[in-house]
């Protein structure tokens, strides 16, 4: 049976809520693809993601600032920018656009 067609930009939240929106698009052994929508959210103070899997992430729409614990400055990501985050590399979202959605596509993969 063929898969249904879906759109990454469908059903985007209109305004900022307290949390980002996470939606799994595909899950397979050792692989997960997720759409993340941020509307002004950022990581809580003193919180760092420390994930067992690797994460390749691209900003499809909007802007964000991503900070790594081992770097002094955050990285400003714009539409089209992507980065591969190694397993257990501590990182956080310091800022996203407050007035329009930032749409991320994250690909999580098992550590080699």
């Amino acid at each position: 049976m063929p898969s249904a067609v879906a759109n990454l930009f469908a059903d985007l939240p209109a305004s900022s809520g307290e949390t980002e929106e996470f939606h799994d698009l595909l899950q397979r052994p050792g692989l997960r693809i997720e759409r993340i929508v941020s509307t002004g959210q950022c990581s809580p103070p003193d919180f760092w993601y420390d994930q067992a899997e690797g994460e390749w992430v691209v900003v499809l729409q909007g802007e964000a600032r991503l900070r790594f614990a081992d770097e002094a400055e955050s990285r400003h990501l714009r539409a089209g920018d992507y980065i591969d985050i190694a397993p257990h590399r501590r990182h956080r979202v310091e800022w996203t656009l407050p007035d329009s959605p930032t749409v991320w596509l994250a690909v999580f993969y098992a550590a080699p």
Side-chain angles (χ1 to χ4, degrees), residues 26-112:
L26 178 71
Q27 287 189 325
R28 298 289 183 268
L31 175 73
R32 179 168 52 95
I33 301 175
E34 178 179 75
R35 180 186 81 168
I36 305 167
V37 180
S38 308
T39 50
Q41 295 89 358
C42 59
S43 300
D46 300 320
F47 172 83
W48 296 91
Y49 288 99
D50 186 352
Q51 302 161 167
E53 66 260 311
E55 178 183 2
W56 181 89
V57 65
V58 59
V59 174
L60 300 174
Q61 172 183 305
E63 297 181 35
R65 288 198 171 275
L66 185 64
R67 173 84 187 278
F68 291 95
D70 60 352
E71 294 181 1
E73 299 292 322
S74 61
R75 298 183 188 202
H76 191 166
L77 304 177
R78 294 172 181 86
D81 291 340
Y82 62 90
I83 189 164
D84 187 31
I85 304 170
H88 295 292
R89 186 167 186 205
R90 292 177 37 173
H91 61 284
R92 56 182 278 113
V93 176
E94 291 206 322
W95 171 86
T96 60
L97 285 175
D99 54 353
S100 64
T102 296
V103 180
W104 313 71
L105 184 67
V107 178
F108 298 91
Y109 55 92

Side-chain angles (χ1 to χ4, degrees), residues 3-17:
S3 297
V5 174
N7 188 294
L8 290 170
F9 300 105
D11 302 321
L12 296 178
S15 62
S16 59

Side-chain angles (χ1 to χ4, degrees), residues 13-29:
S15 62
S16 59
E18 288 188 27
T19 60
E20 294 174 298
E21 178 185 283
F22 299 89
H23 180 71
D24 283 342
L25 303 173
L26 178 71
Q27 287 189 325
R28 298 289 183 268

